[in-house]
Amino acid sequence: MAVRQIRILPDPALRRKAKRVSDIDKSIQGLVDDMVETMQVAPGVGLAANQVGVGLRIIVVQLPDEDVVVLINPEGVKRGGERLCEEGCLSVPGYQGELKRSVWVKVKGLNRHGKEVRLRGEKLLAQVLEHEIDHLDGILYVDRLENRDKLAP
């Protein structure tokens, strides 16, 4: 395992749409391990592969006192409600902003062993899942701010 460099805005890797993973091989397993270690050292609660310069649809998430969740080729299935959230990002260090996110989401993807998983997240987990899946589509939370004047250090 290794800590990888987190890409910082305006790095172009953050704006590219990530490609689907077709084969979960040893290189993907190694990437997942590196992403988990990088997220934990940062520290953060989520990380998308393109944040470490790899254009593949992989995210890792770990809420405080929870196990790590790995999703390969994640996609949103359903969402509901709306709430205002304070949000930051490892790729936009030192800033936070307020934006609207779903109260709950349902996502599906593959775990690190290639087994299909479905996950329902509420509040913070929903927020992190939406944030990380946005990354895979080249979208950063600052793009979703209603008022960039509220972006604050």
Side-chain angles (χ1 to χ4, degrees):
M1 292 196 312
V3 174
R4 297 194 182 204
Q5 180 181 352
I6 295 175
R7 304 297 178 99
I8 305 297
L9 191 67
D11 190 308
L14 298 169
R15 294 302 189 177
R16 290 189 199 109
K17 189 167 182 165
K19 296 181 191 291
R20 291 182 61 80
V21 174
S22 57
D23 184 31
I24 302 173
D25 58 16
K26 286 183 181 180
S27 68
I28 297 298
Q29 296 295 342
L31 172 61
V32 167
D33 290 340
D34 290 354
M35 288 174 62
V36 170
E37 186 173 1
T38 302
M39 172 186 65
Q40 291 171 338
V41 167
V45 293
L47 190 69
N50 53 350
Q51 287 182 273
V52 293
V54 180
L56 294 174
R57 297 190 73 78
I58 302 171
I59 64 172
V60 296
V61 173
Q62 186 175 30
L63 299 186
D65 302 320
E66 298 283 336
D67 291 335
V68 173
V69 174
V70 174
L71 287 173
I72 299 171
N73 301 330
E75 52 186 274
V77 175
K78 221 176 199 181
R79 66 187 66 212
E82 188 175 85
R83 69 186 191 104
L84 281 176
C85 302
E86 193 71 24
E87 200 160 298
C89 180
L90 296 173
S91 293
V92 188
Y95 290 91
Q96 290 189 328
E98 189 177 76
L99 67 152
K100 291 178 183 172
R101 290 284 188 194
S102 301
V103 172
W104 63 268
V105 298
K106 288 183 181 179
V107 300
K108 68 177 182 176
L110 303 175
N111 69 14
R112 68 178 303 149
H113 306 292
K115 181 182 176 195
E116 185 172 320
V117 292
R118 292 180 177 267
L119 179 64
R120 179 184 164 98
E122 295 184 11
K123 298 183 181 173
L124 180 58
L125 181 55
Q127 179 181 350
V128 175
L129 290 169
E130 286 184 321
H131 178 108
E132 300 309 331
I133 291 172
D134 273 355
H135 269 300
L136 299 179
D137 293 325
I139 300 167
L140 278 76
Y141 84 98
V142 294
D143 302 328
R144 297 198 179 278
L145 295 175
E146 289 182 11
N147 182 354
R148 288 194 182 201
D149 293 338
K150 291 189 177 183
L151 189 64

